[in-house]
């Protein structure tokens, strides 16, 4: 068992709105943030919808700038709740971020400036300077650099990608730094703004996305028999993590604890889990053990629950192996049914939702669960929010590439 | 800083660069100015010189054709280096050890289909609705497998699939500082008992139009004939392809399984100055203060060649030891630069000498048998990295 780490502030933005105050009631009410995309032409695409965050002109920005803007929103909210808005945060930033690339509007603009629409001509015409946005804003380090500067975090910021597990990996990385005494607190941000055309097409080509184009709000159907893929979405969450004694010393209110973290790499396949469920079971079991608990102490599962046929089947199998005969009695919910799959941010957003669940004693529903899958004997919190009196939540995040992370969050430090 | 108690060793290293693969190839080429010159390519992407990897025995660590097809050169280089490092550490093929091996990768992204990009750009230039045309042509032209070869985390993901390390897998992003952070995190976690066995892996493919364009847009690339690393204009970067990997291991764990150390990882420091005038030197000074300023320190610098960071790092390092700017030989490998220099450092922690690569005065201190190797890497925009290695005697 390892030491628990306190959470003293959270912030979030999703397709349901900005801030915990907008998101929590919407989540409890079972609202969907998924809509037909308007940010770029979608005619003829296999999937034409998603959970876009278009507030405040964000839709017109390149993905990295959208990640930065959402990162600023959620970090401000979390720091305000933690009472840490003064000068100097006093700990590092750990950021979960998607990969960054030059996008098509920029690429077309460069080609238009060049003598010909070729890389050779663009290279010849492109001599800029270090602060040219076409350069700076497409480096992988810039979002973290600017967030670190904006919130005066200490030392080098860490930018992490473990695909769909990134947000949870960022939390784990922060927990480890606090546990080994490197720092007293860490600002964790997971931000995902990748709803740009090429990313949507790429995920579509993997046949990973739902294609319920005529019913966007009903498309994400985690654990349902008629699930057909995930829904790409944007959003961000921030968590202020602190050594409990340091939080207590400054009189900060502790919202919950990260009690345990587990991770496991699957060596089986690029997009599929090993059919034995071994790696995702190992991630979950290690998180429970790291928390000093037995699987019996898990009161609720905030599932990865993407709504792909494969993920939900494998997650169910691993939960059966972890929870044994209790599996049908532990409530499971999938936030992605409402907010879509926020990819790099999902682990952070769902950890934040898990904390709200613990504090408010209410589990947000899994919507679109009209046709339960008889092959998945789970207690899905379908339809409406459910009262909850438990003390611990297991939050799962599994990524393409076999990077699996589970977190145990709880109201008690031990 | 293995301050938390446990001594940390480097027990395996792998490197592939324009100079070839492995320890002997690098030692031979570094001592041969003609070989160094021959390793550069000033024609393929003229007027921008690069240091390309020309050949790789891909089958050695990635024998399955399916794996080779699912990955591009960027992943090939890093996975190859990781295979070398695991092999050197006696971990390759050992299922029990691999199950406990944590991966820390420093990565950007994989190759784009630049031919498709150019085709779409050409057609979009005359189209009434360029955005709609782009969508149509992308949907028709993108290949699903290419996406998985592009995703940053899939370098580590493929590494686990091909070579088998399975304890955990984390990918760090953010240019040069990602490379420093991967090494720092491995050292800290091993030192603190948050794992025993770590594979740090990083990769860079310089032979890419999209990467050249990204750095050209920032005014970073050296234009025209290749010149001495330390005397270049601010647009002074020559990119270099490289795969670099290190097995970082708690010394007690290595001893227990009879693994031999290449070097002791004494500490890894990573400062983060705002790069106002003098800030980087002031930040680095705090980490360098206790190192003697004489020829007992061999300093391998991962300076990129681009200024002002390169000039600032050069001026900071002058007189602190026997300095070698390795980008002169292997080019700048961005995320992979720090790990590549650490591999070279781990190899010469035992070997001793490292030939001068420049006639610039910063490399003029007469060489002696080093007592330690300091690897310095200042990011082009941010981050001042330092790793200190010592021979284990």
């Amino acid at each position: 068992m390892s030491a628990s780490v306190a959470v003293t502030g959270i912030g979030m933005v999703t397709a349901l709105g900005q801030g915990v105050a907008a998101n929590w009631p919407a989540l409890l009410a079972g609202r969907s943030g998924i809509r037909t995309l308007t940010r770029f032409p979608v005619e003829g695409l296999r999937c034409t919808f998603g959970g876009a965050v278009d507030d405040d002109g964000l839709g017109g920005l390149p993905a990295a700038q959208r990640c930065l803007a959402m990162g600023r929103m959620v970090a401000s909210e979390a720091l305000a709740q933690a009472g840490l808005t003064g000068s100097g945060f006093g700990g590092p930033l750990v950021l979960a971020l998607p990969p960054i690339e030059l996008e098509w509007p920029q690429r077309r603009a460069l080609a238009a400036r060049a003598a010909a629409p070729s890389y050779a001509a663009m290279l010849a015409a492109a001599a800029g300077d270090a602060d040219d946005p076409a350069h700076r804003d497409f480096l992988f380090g810039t979002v973290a650099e600017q967030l670190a500067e904006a919130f005066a975090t200490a030392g080098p910021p860490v930018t992490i990608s473990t695909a769909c597990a990134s947000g949870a990996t960022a939390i784990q990385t922060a927990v480890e730094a606090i546990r080994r005494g490197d720092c007293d607190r860490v600002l964790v941000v997971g931000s995902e703004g990748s709803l740009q055309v090429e990313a949507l097409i790429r995920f579509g080509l993997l046949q990973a996305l739902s294609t319920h184009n005529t019913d966007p709000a009903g498309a994400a159907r985690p654990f349902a028999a008629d699930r057909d893929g995930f829904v790409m979405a944007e959003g961000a969450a921030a968590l202020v993590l602190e050594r409990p004694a340091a939080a207590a010393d400054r009189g900060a209110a502790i919202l919950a604890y990260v009690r345990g973290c587990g991770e496991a790499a699957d060596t089986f396949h690029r997009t599929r889990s090993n059919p034995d469920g071994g790696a995702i079971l190992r991630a979950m079991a290690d998180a429970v053990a790291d928390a000093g608990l037995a699987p019996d102490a898990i009161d609720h599962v905030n599932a990865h629950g993407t709504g792909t046929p494969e993920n939900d089947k494998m997650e169910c199998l691993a939960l059966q192996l972890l929870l044994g005969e209790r599996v049908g009695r532990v409530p499971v919910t999938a936030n992605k049914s409402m907010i879509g799959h926020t990819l790099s941010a999902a682990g952070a957003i769902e950890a934040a939702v898990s904390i709200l669940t613990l504090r408010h004693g209410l589990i947000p529903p899994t919507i679109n669960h009209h046709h339960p899958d008889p092959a998945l004997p789970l207690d899905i919190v379908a339809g409406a929010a459910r009262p909850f009196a438990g003390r611990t939540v297991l939050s799962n995040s599994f990524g393409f590439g076999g990077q699996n992370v589970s977190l145990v969050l709880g109201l008690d430090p031990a | 800083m293995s301050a938390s108690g446990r001594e940390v060793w480097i027990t395996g290293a792998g490197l592939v660069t324009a100079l070839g693969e492995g320890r002997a190839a690098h030692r031979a080429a570094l001592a041969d100015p003609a070989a160094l010159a021959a390793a550069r390519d000033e024609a393929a992407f003229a007027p921008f010189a690069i240091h390309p990897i020309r050949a790789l025995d891909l089958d050695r660590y990635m024998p399955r054709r399916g794996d080779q097809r699912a990955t591009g050169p960027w992943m090939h280089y890093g996975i190859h280096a990781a295979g070398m490092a695991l092999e050197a550490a006696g971990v390759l093929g050992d299922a029990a050890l691999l199950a406990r091996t944590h991966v820390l990768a420093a990565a950007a992204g994989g190759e784009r289909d630049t031919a498709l990009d150019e085709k779409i750009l050409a057609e979009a230039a005359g189209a009434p609705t360029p955005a709609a045309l782009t969508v149509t042509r992308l949907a028709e032209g993108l290949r699903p497998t290419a996406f998985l070869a592009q995703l940053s985390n899939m370098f580590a993901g493929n590494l686990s699939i091909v070579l088998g390390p399975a304890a955990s897998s984390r990918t760090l992003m953010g240019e040069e500082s990602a490379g420093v952070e991967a090494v720092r995190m491995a050292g800290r976690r091993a030192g603190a008992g948050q794992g025993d066995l770590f594979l740090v892996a990083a990769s860079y493919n310089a032979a890419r139009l999209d990467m050249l364009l990204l750095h050209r847009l920032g005014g970073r690339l050296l234009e025209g004939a290749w010149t001495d690393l330390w005397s270049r204009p601010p647009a002074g970067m020559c990119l270099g392809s490289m795969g670099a990997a290190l097995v970082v291991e708690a010394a007690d764990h290595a001893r227990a399984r009879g693994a031999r150390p290449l070097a002791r990882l004494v500490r890894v420091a990573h400062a983060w100055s705002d790069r106002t005038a003098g800030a980087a030197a002031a930040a680095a000074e705090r980490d360098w203060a206790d190192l003697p300023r004489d020829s007992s320190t061999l300093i391998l610098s991962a300076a990129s060649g681009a200024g002002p960071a390169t000039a600032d790092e050069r001026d900071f390092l002058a007189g602190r030891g026997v300095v070698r700017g390795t980008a002169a030989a292997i080019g700048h490998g961005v995320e992979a630069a720090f790990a590549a220099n650490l591999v070279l450092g781990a190899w010469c922690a035992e070997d001793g000498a490292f030939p001068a690569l420049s006639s610039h005065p910063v490399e003029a201190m007469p060489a002696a048998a080093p007592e330690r190797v300091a690897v310095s890497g200042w990011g082009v925009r941010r981050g001042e990295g330092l790793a200190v290695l010592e021979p284990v005697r």
Side-chain angles (χ1 to χ4, degrees):
Chain A
M1 162 182 175
S2 308
S4 291
V5 167
V7 182
T8 56
I10 58 177
M12 70 168 76
V13 54
T14 73
L16 290 171
Q18 284 182 37
V20 168
N23 274 279
W24 183 241
L27 288 166
L28 290 180
R31 274 177 46 205
S32 172
I34 310 305
R35 292 171 290 269
T36 299
L37 293 167
T38 56
R39 162 181 304 178
F40 48 80
V42 293
E43 287 73 28
L45 295 185
R46 296 166 65 100
C47 171
T48 59
F49 57 96
V53 178
D54 282 322
D55 331 29
D56 305 342
L58 289 184
L61 298 174
Q65 289 297 295
R66 201 154 43 238
C67 289
L68 174 61
M70 290 189 294
R72 285 179 189 269
M73 290 175 192
V74 296
S76 294
E77 184 183 7
L79 290 170
Q81 182 173 33
L84 289 166
T85 48
S87 63
F89 171 70
L93 167 71
V94 179
L95 172 70
L97 191 75
I100 305 301
E101 263 193 294
L102 205 66
E103 291 171 26
W104 280 95
Q106 290 74 31
R107 199 174 282 116
R108 287 195 301 264
L110 288 170
R113 266 166 49 196
S118 67
Y119 274 93
M122 288 192 286
L123 272 164
D129 64 51
D131 290 319
D132 186 334
H135 167 70
R136 184 196 60 206
D137 294 350
F138 296 92
L139 295 169
F140 281 71
T142 296
V143 176
E145 176 191 318
Q146 297 193 353
L147 282 177
E149 194 174 310
F151 297 100
T153 55
V158 174
T159 305
I160 282 189
S161 173
T162 50
C164 313
S166 303
T169 302
I171 291 169
Q172 179 176 28
T173 300
V175 165
E176 285 172 352
I178 291 170
R179 282 175 173 172
R180 67 177 177 249
D182 284 3
C183 51
D184 280 339
R185 69 178 68 102
V186 180
L187 175 61
V188 174
V189 174
S191 194
E192 177 60 71
S194 288
L195 261 174
Q196 47 105 346
V197 62
E198 192 168 319
L200 183 73
I201 293 172
R202 286 169 175 175
F203 275 115
L205 287 170
L206 291 179
Q207 309 203 344
L209 298 180
S210 169
T211 56
H212 292 299
N213 288 331
T214 55
D215 181 21
R221 303 173 186 177
F223 301 109
D226 53 356
R227 66 190 186 275
D228 76 330
F230 75 81
V231 175
M232 247 185 109
E234 298 178 324
L239 297 92
V240 175
L241 300 186
E242 293 191 70
R243 185 185 312 287
D249 283 352
R250 65 181 191 87
I254 292 173
L255 304 175
Y257 297 88
V258 183
R259 296 196 53 176
C261 311
E263 63 183 329
D266 197 327
T267 59
F268 180 69
H269 189 269
R270 290 166 186 86
T271 57
R272 295 203 311 273
S273 301
N274 189 314
D276 69 5
I280 58 179
L281 173 64
R282 192 151 42 92
M284 290 193 270
D286 285 0
V288 173
D290 190 44
L293 297 171
D296 283 357
I298 297 302
D299 299 318
H300 163 48
V301 177
N302 186 306
H304 186 51
T306 58
T308 65
E310 172 83 2
N311 175 82
D312 297 0
K313 183 181 77 177
M314 295 311 303
E315 187 166 14
C316 176
L317 170 63
L319 283 170
Q320 287 175 287
L321 294 169
L322 179 81
L323 299 172
E325 52 87 29
R326 285 180 70 236
V327 73
R329 303 200 303 276
V330 177
V332 175
T333 204
N335 306 146
K336 292 180 179 79
S337 62
M338 292 176 279
I339 61 173
H341 189 351
T342 55
L343 304 168
S344 300
I349 290 174
E350 289 161 20
V353 172
S354 298
I355 290 166
L356 294 169
T357 299
L358 287 164
R359 292 190 58 78
H360 292 278
L362 283 167
I363 302 175
T366 301
I367 65 167
N368 304 324
H369 196 76
H370 308 300
H371 306 285
D373 185 340
L376 310 179
L378 300 172
D379 175 17
I380 302 294
V381 181
R386 188 190 295 181
F388 171 64
R391 309 293 292 176
T392 58
V393 179
L394 178 71
S395 178
N396 287 333
S397 298
F398 310 135
F400 271 169
Q403 289 146 10
N404 307 297
V405 182
S406 294
L407 305 173
V408 174
L409 300 142
L411 289 174
D412 309 304
Chain B
M1 257 152 271
S2 48
S4 320
R6 285 170 112 193
E7 184 175 342
V8 178
W9 287 353
I10 291 170
T11 54
L15 183 66
V16 51
T17 71
L19 304 184
E21 52 182 280
R23 189 171 183 164
H26 280 88
R27 184 195 289 185
L30 286 165
D32 178 357
L36 296 181
R40 299 192 291 266
D41 186 341
E42 299 187 30
F45 298 95
F48 310 106
I50 65 164
H51 302 250
I53 291 173
R54 290 189 167 83
L56 191 68
D57 177 14
L58 203 53
D59 292 341
R60 186 164 158 210
Y61 299 108
M62 197 191 280
R64 291 194 298 247
R65 289 293 179 274
D67 288 336
Q68 295 182 8
R69 277 196 303 272
T71 49
W74 171 62
M75 289 188 183
H76 295 164
Y77 303 156
I79 292 171
H80 195 84
M84 296 172 73
L86 290 171
E87 189 169 48
V91 176
L92 189 69
D94 184 324
L97 285 172
L98 287 167
R100 307 187 321 104
T101 301
H102 300 270
V103 177
L104 285 160
E111 289 81 6
R112 286 188 67 79
D113 183 347
T114 51
L116 177 65
D117 287 348
E118 292 187 335
K119 189 168 154 249
I120 294 174
L121 288 171
E123 202 178 343
T129 52
L133 182 115
T134 304
V135 171
T136 307
R137 293 293 178 261
L138 282 172
E140 294 163 356
L142 286 174
R143 286 168 293 124
T145 47
F147 180 32
L148 293 174
Q150 284 180 308
L151 284 171
S152 303
N153 73 297
M154 287 302 299
F155 164 45
N158 277 298
L159 206 159
S160 283
I161 289 167
V162 173
L163 299 171
S168 71
S169 170
R170 297 187 202 170
T171 295
L172 303 173
M173 306 192 301
E175 285 75 38
E176 294 86 358
S177 100
V180 180
E181 211 41 42
V183 177
R184 193 192 68 86
M185 215 174 273
R188 291 294 296 151
R189 285 171 65 187
Q194 293 171 332
D196 299 314
L197 188 54
F198 294 83
L199 174 68
V200 174
S203 196
Y204 194 76
N205 178 8
R208 283 173 61 173
L209 290 163
D210 54 334
M211 279 293 158
L212 289 163
L213 181 61
L214 176 67
H215 294 290
R216 169 75 165 166
L217 282 164
R220 302 299 197 191
L221 295 185
L222 181 70
E223 195 171 357
W226 187 91
T227 58
D228 180 84
L229 176 73
W230 297 117
S231 310
R232 292 182 191 165
M237 188 192 286
C238 290
L239 294 169
S241 295
M242 57 190 72
L246 298 142
V247 175
V248 174
E249 187 169 3
D252 56 75
H253 187 268
R255 274 193 206 98
R257 67 180 187 92
R260 215 181 124 269
L262 284 168
R264 178 183 299 114
L265 183 61
V266 180
R267 68 171 191 244
V268 184
H270 192 188
W272 193 257
S273 74
D274 64 8
R275 294 293 174 91
T276 50
E285 182 61 44
R286 288 190 281 277
D287 295 323
W288 284 76
D290 63 338
L291 293 175
R293 295 186 179 214
D294 58 34
S295 60
S296 66
T297 305
L298 169 65
I299 301 173
L300 300 187
S301 166
S304 70
T310 294
D312 290 347
E313 185 177 345
R314 177 195 67 202
D315 295 347
F316 176 83
L317 296 177
R320 289 177 187 268
V322 177
V323 176
R324 302 291 183 253
T326 59
I330 60 175
H332 183 53
V334 196
E335 290 85 5
F338 196 74
N341 277 269
L342 210 58
V343 172
L344 292 171
W347 283 340
C348 64
E350 283 189 337
D351 289 356
F354 199 108
L357 299 169
S358 164
S359 56
H360 190 279
V362 72
E363 297 202 11
M365 186 182 285
E371 292 171 28
R372 73 195 64 76
V373 180
V375 172
S376 171
W378 292 14
V380 176
R381 283 185 71 84
R382 286 287 187 276
E384 295 84 28
L386 166 67
V388 179
L389 301 173
E390 289 174 355
V392 180
R393 297 201 169 100

